[in-house]
Short mmCIF file of all heavy atoms in Angstrom, two decimals:
data_model
loop_
_atom_site.label_atom_id
_atom_site.label_comp_id
_atom_site.label_asym_id
_atom_site.label_seq_id
_atom_site.Cartn_x
_atom_site.Cartn_y
_atom_site.Cartn_z
N PHE A 1471 1.25 -10.82 12.07
CA PHE A 1471 -0.11 -10.26 11.65
C PHE A 1471 -1.08 -11.43 11.38
O PHE A 1471 -0.66 -12.60 11.25
CB PHE A 1471 0.16 -9.50 10.42
CG PHE A 1471 0.72 -8.09 10.65
CD1 PHE A 1471 2.11 -7.95 10.76
CD2 PHE A 1471 -0.06 -6.97 10.74
CE1 PHE A 1471 2.73 -6.66 10.97
CE2 PHE A 1471 0.53 -5.68 10.88
CZ PHE A 1471 1.89 -5.57 11.07
N GLY A 1472 -2.33 -11.04 11.28
CA GLY A 1472 -3.39 -12.00 11.10
C GLY A 1472 -3.33 -12.70 9.72
O GLY A 1472 -3.84 -13.78 9.65
N SER A 1473 -2.90 -12.05 8.67
CA SER A 1473 -2.84 -12.58 7.37
C SER A 1473 -1.87 -11.76 6.45
O SER A 1473 -1.50 -10.65 6.91
CB SER A 1473 -4.17 -12.64 6.70
OG SER A 1473 -4.62 -11.38 6.31
N GLY A 1474 -1.55 -12.20 5.37
CA GLY A 1474 -0.69 -11.56 4.45
C GLY A 1474 -1.38 -10.37 3.93
O GLY A 1474 -0.75 -9.28 3.79
N TYR A 1475 -2.67 -10.32 3.73
CA TYR A 1475 -3.43 -9.23 3.25
C TYR A 1475 -3.36 -8.13 4.34
O TYR A 1475 -3.16 -6.91 3.99
CB TYR A 1475 -4.82 -9.58 2.89
CG TYR A 1475 -5.66 -8.61 2.18
CD1 TYR A 1475 -5.78 -8.71 0.74
CD2 TYR A 1475 -6.26 -7.53 2.73
CE1 TYR A 1475 -6.54 -7.86 -0.02
CE2 TYR A 1475 -6.97 -6.58 2.11
CZ TYR A 1475 -7.13 -6.82 0.64
OH TYR A 1475 -7.91 -5.87 -0.02
N ILE A 1476 -3.64 -8.48 5.59
CA ILE A 1476 -3.73 -7.55 6.67
C ILE A 1476 -2.21 -6.96 6.87
O ILE A 1476 -2.15 -5.73 7.11
CB ILE A 1476 -4.16 -8.31 7.90
CG1 ILE A 1476 -5.62 -8.50 7.86
CG2 ILE A 1476 -3.77 -7.50 9.18
CD1 ILE A 1476 -6.21 -9.39 8.99
N ALA A 1477 -1.21 -7.77 6.70
CA ALA A 1477 0.13 -7.26 6.96
C ALA A 1477 0.47 -6.13 5.93
O ALA A 1477 0.98 -5.11 6.27
CB ALA A 1477 1.09 -8.39 6.85
N ASN A 1478 0.14 -6.50 4.63
CA ASN A 1478 0.54 -5.49 3.54
C ASN A 1478 -0.22 -4.22 3.78
O ASN A 1478 0.32 -3.15 3.56
CB ASN A 1478 0.32 -6.08 2.20
CG ASN A 1478 1.40 -6.93 1.73
OD1 ASN A 1478 2.59 -6.82 2.29
ND2 ASN A 1478 1.20 -7.87 0.90
N ILE A 1479 -1.51 -4.36 4.02
CA ILE A 1479 -2.31 -3.10 4.28
C ILE A 1479 -1.78 -2.31 5.45
O ILE A 1479 -1.57 -1.10 5.41
CB ILE A 1479 -3.80 -3.44 4.47
CG1 ILE A 1479 -4.42 -3.88 3.13
CG2 ILE A 1479 -4.57 -2.33 5.01
CD1 ILE A 1479 -5.81 -4.37 3.18
N GLY A 1480 -1.54 -3.02 6.53
CA GLY A 1480 -1.11 -2.36 7.80
C GLY A 1480 0.24 -1.74 7.68
O GLY A 1480 0.46 -0.59 8.17
N VAL A 1481 1.21 -2.38 7.06
CA VAL A 1481 2.53 -1.89 6.93
C VAL A 1481 2.60 -0.66 6.04
O VAL A 1481 3.20 0.39 6.41
CB VAL A 1481 3.57 -2.95 6.43
CG1 VAL A 1481 4.88 -2.35 6.08
CG2 VAL A 1481 3.69 -4.02 7.45
N ILE A 1482 2.02 -0.73 4.88
CA ILE A 1482 2.04 0.39 3.90
C ILE A 1482 1.38 1.67 4.50
O ILE A 1482 1.88 2.76 4.45
CB ILE A 1482 1.45 -0.05 2.53
CG1 ILE A 1482 2.34 -1.07 1.88
CG2 ILE A 1482 1.27 1.18 1.59
CD1 ILE A 1482 1.71 -1.79 0.74
N GLN A 1483 0.20 1.44 5.12
CA GLN A 1483 -0.49 2.57 5.75
C GLN A 1483 0.37 3.25 6.85
O GLN A 1483 0.27 4.47 7.03
CB GLN A 1483 -1.81 2.10 6.38
CG GLN A 1483 -2.94 1.91 5.37
CD GLN A 1483 -4.21 1.59 6.07
OE1 GLN A 1483 -4.36 0.51 6.67
NE2 GLN A 1483 -5.16 2.55 6.04
N ALA A 1484 1.10 2.38 7.56
CA ALA A 1484 1.90 2.90 8.68
C ALA A 1484 3.17 3.68 8.21
O ALA A 1484 3.63 4.51 8.92
CB ALA A 1484 2.32 1.79 9.60
N LEU A 1485 3.60 3.37 6.99
CA LEU A 1485 4.87 3.93 6.50
C LEU A 1485 4.65 5.19 5.70
O LEU A 1485 5.57 6.08 5.64
CB LEU A 1485 5.66 2.94 5.74
CG LEU A 1485 6.20 1.66 6.49
CD1 LEU A 1485 6.83 0.71 5.48
CD2 LEU A 1485 7.14 2.10 7.58
N VAL A 1486 3.59 5.30 4.96
CA VAL A 1486 3.46 6.41 4.00
C VAL A 1486 2.05 7.05 4.16
O VAL A 1486 1.07 6.39 4.60
CB VAL A 1486 3.65 6.01 2.58
CG1 VAL A 1486 5.14 5.67 2.38
CG2 VAL A 1486 2.78 4.82 2.13
N SER A 1487 1.88 8.30 3.67
CA SER A 1487 0.58 8.91 3.68
C SER A 1487 0.54 9.96 2.57
O SER A 1487 1.28 9.74 1.51
CB SER A 1487 0.37 9.63 5.05
OG SER A 1487 1.45 10.60 5.29
N ARG A 1488 -0.29 10.98 2.72
CA ARG A 1488 -0.63 11.88 1.56
C ARG A 1488 0.57 12.48 0.81
O ARG A 1488 0.61 12.71 -0.24
CB ARG A 1488 -1.50 12.98 2.02
CG ARG A 1488 -2.93 12.58 2.37
CD ARG A 1488 -3.75 13.75 2.82
NE ARG A 1488 -5.06 13.40 3.26
CZ ARG A 1488 -6.14 13.26 2.47
NH1 ARG A 1488 -6.04 13.38 1.23
NH2 ARG A 1488 -7.24 12.89 2.98
N ASP A 1489 1.65 12.87 1.63
CA ASP A 1489 2.73 13.60 1.08
C ASP A 1489 3.87 12.67 0.54
O ASP A 1489 4.97 13.13 0.20
CB ASP A 1489 3.43 14.45 2.14
CG ASP A 1489 2.42 15.51 2.68
OD1 ASP A 1489 1.62 16.04 1.85
OD2 ASP A 1489 2.43 15.76 3.88
N ASP A 1490 3.59 11.40 0.34
CA ASP A 1490 4.58 10.40 0.03
C ASP A 1490 4.19 9.68 -1.26
O ASP A 1490 3.22 9.89 -1.82
CB ASP A 1490 4.73 9.44 1.24
CG ASP A 1490 4.96 10.01 2.56
OD1 ASP A 1490 5.79 11.01 2.58
OD2 ASP A 1490 4.31 9.67 3.56
N VAL A 1491 5.07 8.84 -1.71
CA VAL A 1491 4.87 8.10 -2.94
C VAL A 1491 5.38 6.62 -2.77
O VAL A 1491 6.38 6.39 -2.12
CB VAL A 1491 5.67 8.76 -4.15
CG1 VAL A 1491 7.14 8.82 -3.92
CG2 VAL A 1491 5.35 7.99 -5.42
N VAL A 1492 4.53 5.71 -3.37
CA VAL A 1492 4.91 4.27 -3.37
C VAL A 1492 5.14 3.87 -4.79
O VAL A 1492 4.28 4.02 -5.68
CB VAL A 1492 3.84 3.46 -2.68
CG1 VAL A 1492 4.26 1.96 -2.68
CG2 VAL A 1492 3.51 3.87 -1.27
N PHE A 1493 6.26 3.20 -5.05
CA PHE A 1493 6.60 2.60 -6.33
C PHE A 1493 6.32 1.20 -6.31
O PHE A 1493 6.95 0.44 -5.51
CB PHE A 1493 8.05 2.99 -6.68
CG PHE A 1493 8.46 4.42 -6.58
CD1 PHE A 1493 8.91 4.98 -5.45
CD2 PHE A 1493 8.34 5.25 -7.73
CE1 PHE A 1493 9.24 6.26 -5.32
CE2 PHE A 1493 8.64 6.52 -7.65
CZ PHE A 1493 9.10 7.13 -6.44
N SER A 1494 5.38 0.67 -7.10
CA SER A 1494 4.88 -0.60 -7.03
C SER A 1494 4.90 -1.29 -8.36
O SER A 1494 4.46 -0.72 -9.34
CB SER A 1494 3.48 -0.60 -6.40
OG SER A 1494 2.88 -1.87 -6.43
N ASP A 1495 5.40 -2.54 -8.41
CA ASP A 1495 5.38 -3.34 -9.70
C ASP A 1495 3.99 -3.49 -10.11
O ASP A 1495 3.02 -3.77 -9.30
CB ASP A 1495 6.02 -4.72 -9.45
CG ASP A 1495 6.26 -5.42 -10.73
OD1 ASP A 1495 5.28 -5.89 -11.31
OD2 ASP A 1495 7.48 -5.56 -11.19
N LYS A 1496 3.70 -3.43 -11.39
CA LYS A 1496 2.38 -3.53 -11.96
C LYS A 1496 1.68 -4.87 -11.65
O LYS A 1496 0.44 -4.97 -11.53
CB LYS A 1496 2.38 -3.33 -13.50
CG LYS A 1496 1.02 -3.13 -14.11
CD LYS A 1496 1.15 -2.82 -15.60
CE LYS A 1496 -0.31 -2.58 -16.25
NZ LYS A 1496 -0.16 -2.27 -17.69
N LEU A 1497 2.42 -5.90 -11.38
CA LEU A 1497 1.93 -7.16 -11.10
C LEU A 1497 1.84 -7.55 -9.63
O LEU A 1497 1.73 -8.72 -9.22
CB LEU A 1497 2.63 -8.29 -11.87
CG LEU A 1497 2.51 -8.19 -13.45
CD1 LEU A 1497 3.09 -9.43 -14.10
CD2 LEU A 1497 1.05 -7.99 -13.89
N ASN A 1498 2.17 -6.58 -8.76
CA ASN A 1498 2.11 -6.83 -7.34
C ASN A 1498 0.75 -7.40 -6.89
O ASN A 1498 -0.29 -7.05 -7.53
CB ASN A 1498 2.42 -5.62 -6.54
CG ASN A 1498 3.94 -5.43 -6.34
OD1 ASN A 1498 4.73 -6.38 -6.56
ND2 ASN A 1498 4.35 -4.24 -6.03
N HIS A 1499 0.70 -8.13 -5.78
CA HIS A 1499 -0.50 -8.71 -5.20
C HIS A 1499 -1.52 -7.54 -4.91
O HIS A 1499 -1.17 -6.48 -4.55
CB HIS A 1499 -0.16 -9.45 -3.96
CG HIS A 1499 -1.28 -10.29 -3.54
ND1 HIS A 1499 -2.23 -9.85 -2.59
CD2 HIS A 1499 -1.75 -11.54 -3.98
CE1 HIS A 1499 -3.07 -10.87 -2.30
NE2 HIS A 1499 -2.89 -11.84 -3.11
N ALA A 1500 -2.83 -7.91 -4.99
CA ALA A 1500 -3.86 -7.00 -4.72
C ALA A 1500 -3.75 -6.36 -3.37
O ALA A 1500 -4.20 -5.21 -3.10
CB ALA A 1500 -5.24 -7.72 -4.88
N SER A 1501 -3.27 -7.10 -2.38
CA SER A 1501 -3.14 -6.55 -1.00
C SER A 1501 -2.15 -5.33 -0.90
O SER A 1501 -2.39 -4.39 -0.18
CB SER A 1501 -2.62 -7.64 -0.04
OG SER A 1501 -1.36 -8.18 -0.45
N ILE A 1502 -1.15 -5.37 -1.73
CA ILE A 1502 -0.24 -4.19 -1.88
C ILE A 1502 -0.94 -3.00 -2.55
O ILE A 1502 -0.90 -1.90 -2.02
CB ILE A 1502 1.08 -4.64 -2.67
CG1 ILE A 1502 1.80 -5.66 -1.93
CG2 ILE A 1502 1.83 -3.40 -2.95
CD1 ILE A 1502 3.02 -6.20 -2.64
N VAL A 1503 -1.69 -3.29 -3.61
CA VAL A 1503 -2.41 -2.24 -4.30
C VAL A 1503 -3.40 -1.60 -3.36
O VAL A 1503 -3.51 -0.31 -3.27
CB VAL A 1503 -3.13 -2.85 -5.58
CG1 VAL A 1503 -3.98 -1.77 -6.17
CG2 VAL A 1503 -2.15 -3.41 -6.58
N ASP A 1504 -4.17 -2.44 -2.56
CA ASP A 1504 -5.16 -1.90 -1.60
C ASP A 1504 -4.47 -1.12 -0.48
O ASP A 1504 -5.06 -0.12 -0.04
CB ASP A 1504 -5.93 -3.02 -1.10
CG ASP A 1504 -6.88 -3.59 -2.22
OD1 ASP A 1504 -6.85 -3.04 -3.25
OD2 ASP A 1504 -7.62 -4.58 -1.89
N GLY A 1505 -3.31 -1.63 -0.03
CA GLY A 1505 -2.58 -0.91 1.04
C GLY A 1505 -2.21 0.47 0.56
O GLY A 1505 -2.34 1.45 1.38
N ILE A 1506 -1.80 0.58 -0.66
CA ILE A 1506 -1.35 1.88 -1.20
C ILE A 1506 -2.59 2.81 -1.24
O ILE A 1506 -2.51 3.99 -0.95
CB ILE A 1506 -0.69 1.78 -2.55
CG1 ILE A 1506 0.63 0.91 -2.48
CG2 ILE A 1506 -0.39 3.17 -3.19
CD1 ILE A 1506 1.18 0.51 -3.80
N ALA A 1507 -3.69 2.31 -1.79
CA ALA A 1507 -4.90 3.15 -1.89
C ALA A 1507 -5.32 3.59 -0.53
O ALA A 1507 -5.66 4.83 -0.36
CB ALA A 1507 -6.01 2.31 -2.53
N LEU A 1508 -5.32 2.70 0.44
CA LEU A 1508 -5.78 3.16 1.74
C LEU A 1508 -4.80 4.15 2.50
O LEU A 1508 -5.16 4.94 3.33
CB LEU A 1508 -5.85 1.87 2.71
CG LEU A 1508 -7.14 1.12 2.26
CD1 LEU A 1508 -7.09 -0.29 3.11
CD2 LEU A 1508 -8.46 1.79 2.66
N SER A 1509 -3.51 4.03 2.06
CA SER A 1509 -2.51 5.05 2.70
C SER A 1509 -2.67 6.38 2.20
O SER A 1509 -2.20 7.38 2.84
CB SER A 1509 -1.07 4.53 2.31
OG SER A 1509 -0.76 4.80 1.04
N ARG A 1510 -3.32 6.57 1.07
CA ARG A 1510 -3.53 7.90 0.36
C ARG A 1510 -2.24 8.48 -0.16
O ARG A 1510 -2.18 9.65 -0.52
CB ARG A 1510 -4.21 8.90 1.25
CG ARG A 1510 -5.59 8.44 1.75
CD ARG A 1510 -6.27 9.44 2.62
NE ARG A 1510 -7.51 8.89 3.10
CZ ARG A 1510 -8.46 9.57 3.89
NH1 ARG A 1510 -8.12 10.75 4.25
NH2 ARG A 1510 -9.50 9.01 4.24
N ALA A 1511 -1.14 7.62 -0.16
CA ALA A 1511 0.13 8.08 -0.83
C ALA A 1511 -0.04 8.04 -2.34
O ALA A 1511 -0.97 7.30 -2.85
CB ALA A 1511 1.31 7.22 -0.40
N GLU A 1512 0.69 8.72 -3.08
CA GLU A 1512 0.66 8.63 -4.47
C GLU A 1512 1.19 7.26 -5.01
O GLU A 1512 2.15 6.69 -4.45
CB GLU A 1512 1.58 9.73 -5.15
CG GLU A 1512 1.48 9.80 -6.67
CD GLU A 1512 2.08 11.03 -7.26
OE1 GLU A 1512 2.41 11.95 -6.53
OE2 GLU A 1512 2.23 11.05 -8.49
N HIS A 1513 0.50 6.66 -5.91
CA HIS A 1513 0.82 5.34 -6.43
C HIS A 1513 1.52 5.44 -7.71
O HIS A 1513 0.84 5.73 -8.75
CB HIS A 1513 -0.50 4.56 -6.50
CG HIS A 1513 -0.17 3.07 -6.84
ND1 HIS A 1513 -1.26 2.12 -6.88
CD2 HIS A 1513 0.92 2.37 -7.01
CE1 HIS A 1513 -0.77 0.91 -7.19
NE2 HIS A 1513 0.55 1.05 -7.31
#
């Protein structure tokens, strides 16, 4: 992928959507947080 930020956003969006849930550590990198938001899965 083009960068770590791009990879995390792309992977999370590709794997989950509105009917799904992502369990994320509170201190995870911002790219993970943004990927979850863009996926529209429950965070």
Side-chain angles (χ1 to χ4, degrees):
F1471 283 80
S1473 72
Y1475 195 99
I1476 286 173
N1478 278 337
I1479 287 176
V1481 170
I1482 293 170
Q1483 280 185 294
L1485 294 177
V1486 291
S1487 59
R1488 289 182 187 274
D1489 298 322
D1490 308 317
V1491 59
V1492 183
F1493 304 90
S1494 174
D1495 190 290
K1496 190 175 182 180
L1497 297 187
N1498 274 342
H1499 191 264
S1501 57
I1502 294 173
V1503 176
D1504 291 355
I1506 298 168
L1508 289 169
S1509 76
R1510 301 182 182 180
E1512 185 169 350
H1513 187 177

